[in-house]
Amino acid sequence: MTGSIQNRDEFLTQIATSLGRDSWMKNAPVRNWQHQPQHLVLKDATVDELVDVLRLQCEKIHTTLVETNSKELEKTLKETVANHGGGPIVSWKDERFSKWGLSPLINEIWPNEGISFHEWDYTKEMENISFAEKANVGITISEITLAESGTVVLLSDKDKGRTVSFLPATLIVLVPKSTLVPRMTQAAQKLRSIHEQGNLVASCVNFITGPSNSADIELNLVVGVHGPVKASYILIDDL
Amino acid sequence: MSMKISTSDFKERVDKGIHDSFMRGAVVGAQERMGTRRLDATNELGNWEEWRKHGEEIRKHVLEHLDYYLKELSDNVSKRGGHVFFAQTAEQANEYIRGVIKEKNAKKVVKAKSMVTEEIHLNQCLEEAGCEVIETDLGEYILQVDDHDPPSHIVVPALHKNKEQIRDVFTEKLNYQKTEKPEELAWHARDMLRQEYLTADVGITGCNFAVAETGSISLVTNEGNADLVTSLPKTQITVMGMERLVPTFEEMEVLVSLLTRSAVGQKLTSYITVLTGPSEELDVDGPEDFHLVIVDNGRSSILGGEFQSILQCIRCAACINVCPVYRHVGGHSYGSIYSGPIGAVLSPLLGGYDDYKELPYASTLCGACTEVCPVKIPLHELLHKHRQTIVEKEGKAPISEKLAMKAFGLGAASPSLYNLGSKFAPTAMLPFTSGDKISKGVGPLKAWTEIREFPAPNKERFRDWFKNRDKGGDQS
Ligand code: SF4
């Protein structure tokens, strides 16, 4: 479905006039940047070095970083959820959960412990949001992870509700080590290449760096405002 | 002009500002803290100057090709199913948005912080149309609850209020029962606003940077409110100043990095959200309808002229956080939602000299703003240009302006006031004096003293000067 565009001609003509052109510019301008400092940051860092940077940064952004491997993931996730006060839990629907051996935890262990778990299911429409609103923990997966800033990148789709990362009190993000890049520069390149290859960029891309916070009252940092109050990243050694 | 926040004149506003001792203390503290954080965050990169140059070249390039990129942006938004409305005036923007609200039969709107919607007075327009409008950014929410107190800072809107005042406002208006602890206040706001997101019909946001190549918009926040505003209501309206765009994600990334480091000293804020079109068909959350309103409101008359570079601004407030005059008089003194050096340049351009002719004199021309601006806008030169234009237009600087000139001149020159000024201001330009006039300035002051003799430093502080001038003293 294509949307509408209104009032464009007059508007652009006005701009063209201000810029001293007879009519608005039709050909793509050439971009020839003279300065490109962003590519130098952590340029030759190894994965281990990126992990070191991430670890340090997580301390600054009030986020716990738990390091584990695919084998131990089930145990680590169970503990992390427990440390944050348990369920209810809402998570994305993603085949990686079972690939990483989390099915027993999700389908048996948690239910047996009375922890309610809701997997995002678009056919249930608003039920998802009602559940997320009451959930204590939301679980999502980082597609790209920025070492410099300690940022996880989440891409929305029908199985990956945006509000899973915003409504629950705690956000737990599973971070495959293979997703680590130096900084936002590489994420921007990746997103751009998705577009250039003719695919649609997710309608919502969230760059999330720790829990929500505000300094609006006398510049005092308050952690946990409208979004999650606590955040944990679980770094999975998948390399 | 709608960006106006006060009907009192410049002098009254300044008077009020310098007599509000909490406000002044808060501003000083804020400048110190934000200044330190910004410095740490920019020094850490090791080559901040290169970053600034890249930021500048991106912004310049976009402005020079603004027609092309706006066309590209609008094509791509509409390809993804979004609606684009180009509004030449504030009235057109408001009318369009009111139309969408009516069509949706919307009763409740939640808003994420946006300067451009303040500029066009959107809230008032929607309220007049019978709609409830709720600001969700904590600072904006506090101001709204306090009978629409105007913002005093573009990044920290309620900077002029202390926690006790906020507690009192919450107690009176929201039946709040707890203490003045920031956590408790913030949590109360969280509780109050949760229900609002869930029941609102429309979400309205501003836009930090739109991305032409993909038709995306980006929002840079810390609280998470913008994410709830854009994922729960069924309709989303984003309002952007026409210059706030970049060619691709790659330039967006650079400007976001410049913004977060300069504004709050963070590598990135907690949430950077990039939204493209409405949500996909099977998505449960996210808006079904997306409207992008692109606002000119006076910007095209700045474009192509000698003030074009002010449109490079990314609204980081770094210039405000180092300005010794802002520190002294506070945000409300500027009488505009845009305060500090950026406000002193932009407000007269968007709102006219009639209302804002004093603002270009609300500067010591010390150049601290220019030095910190992440996109290298020559702010103090633009202030100087304004003064020249005003003098040309009016034949002379009206007497009050002469006084203001002197007042703020003293600000730069007098050691006592200068010390009140930001420690992050460059010190290289402390003036040389001969007799009681400065004959030669160095650095940015030089251009100024070449044109006009600068009043010499003395012990009189701006505050005293301001009192004094009322009694008719010191009118040279
Ligand atoms: S003028 Fe420069 S320093 Fe001031 S708000 Fe704009 S970008 Fe930031």
Side-chain angles (χ1 to χ4, degrees), chain B residues 113-351:
Chain B
K113 183 172 172 298
S114 144
M115 293 306 292
V116 68
T117 59
E118 297 265 351
E119 180 189 314
I120 64 175
H121 263 211
L122 177 64
N123 288 14
Q124 201 180 322
C125 157
L126 296 181
E127 278 161 6
E128 279 164 15
C131 207
E132 188 188 357
V133 183
I134 300 149
E135 293 287 352
T136 61
D137 169 84
L138 181 57
E140 295 277 355
Y141 179 70
I142 291 167
L143 296 180
Q144 187 179 43
V145 172
D146 191 14
D147 299 327
H148 304 271
D149 193 18
S152 66
H153 187 282
I154 60 174
V155 172
V156 194
L159 185 68
H160 57 286
K161 280 197 169 2
N162 64 21
K163 49 186 189 295
E164 289 78 14
Q165 290 168 324
I166 297 167
R167 177 203 55 207
D168 293 347
V169 170
F170 276 22
T171 308
E172 189 193 333
K173 308 274 178 174
L174 304 175
N175 198 19
Y176 175 73
Q177 316 262 336
K178 292 193 173 150
T179 73
E180 71 285 354
K181 282 200 188 117
E183 290 77 17
E184 292 180 354
L185 291 164
W187 273 76
H188 191 69
R190 176 190 170 101
D191 284 347
M192 303 290 295
L193 287 169
R194 264 297 160 101
Q195 283 319 304
E196 308 289 12
Y197 299 116
L198 291 161
T199 52
D201 306 295
V202 174
I204 296 183
T205 74
C207 167
N208 287 95
F209 307 104
V211 180
E213 186 175 67
T214 49
S216 314
I217 64 131
S218 61
L219 298 167
V220 178
T221 70
N222 266 317
E223 294 180 9
N225 58 322
D227 296 278
L228 292 170
V229 163
T230 55
S231 46
L232 293 169
K234 289 290 163 224
T235 301
Q236 179 189 337
I237 303 172
T238 291
V239 188
M240 65 177 267
M242 69 176 200
E243 79 285 13
R244 303 296 294 275
L245 83 165
V246 291
T248 77
F249 286 134
E250 296 192 45
E251 293 81 21
M252 176 198 85
E253 180 276 304
V254 173
L255 293 180
V256 165
S257 298
L258 286 165
L259 173 62
T260 56
R261 285 184 196 253
S262 301
V264 280
Q266 287 171 286
K267 294 188 179 86
L268 290 181
T269 53
S270 287
Y271 301 113
I272 294 160
T273 305
V274 180
L275 299 166
T276 310
S279 57
E280 297 296 321
E281 205 186 326
L282 297 176
D283 288 358
V284 175
D285 45 17
E288 285 164 8
D289 263 319
F290 170 66
H291 299 261
L292 179 64
V293 180
I294 303 175
V295 179
D296 181 330
N297 197 33
R299 288 163 174 76
S300 58
S301 16
I302 305 174
L303 200 66
E306 53 183 354
F307 292 98
Q308 175 167 314
S309 59
I310 200 62
L311 297 175
Q312 287 162 219
C313 177
I314 59 171
R315 304 282 191 273
C316 72
C319 58
I320 300 176
N321 296 341
V322 294
C323 178
V325 173
Y326 179 90
R327 186 186 190 86
H328 208 60
V329 301
H332 287 168
S333 299
Y334 293 78
S336 159
I337 56 161
Y338 299 113
S339 60
I342 170 64
V345 176
L346 191 60
S347 305
L349 294 169
L350 294 180

Side-chain angles (χ1 to χ4, degrees), chain A residues 141-155:
Chain A
I141 302 172
S142 178
E143 305 295 344
I144 313 171
T145 307
L146 321 181
E148 182 199 32
S149 52
T151 305
V152 294
V153 182
L154 313 181
L155 308 180

Side-chain angles (χ1 to χ4, degrees), chain B residues 13 89 109 170 196 218 311 315 337 367 386 397 399 406 438 454:
Chain B
R13 296 194 310 259
T89 62
V109 170
F170 276 22
E196 308 289 12
S218 61
L311 297 175
R315 304 282 191 273
I337 56 161
H386 265 314
I399 186 81
K406 176 144 192 190
I438 303 166
F454 212 62

Side-chain angles (χ1 to χ4, degrees), chain B residues 367-400:
Chain B
C369 47
T370 302
E371 191 168 280
V372 296
C373 177
V375 288
K376 293 178 80 79
I377 300 171
L379 288 156
H380 71 287
E381 286 169 27
L382 297 180
L383 288 168
H384 185 212
K385 250 181 212 149
H386 265 314
R387 295 185 187 185
Q388 287 176 312
T389 313
I390 291 167
V391 172
E392 265 164 39
K393 263 200 166 148
E394 318 235 333
K396 64 177 171 63
I399 186 81
S400 65

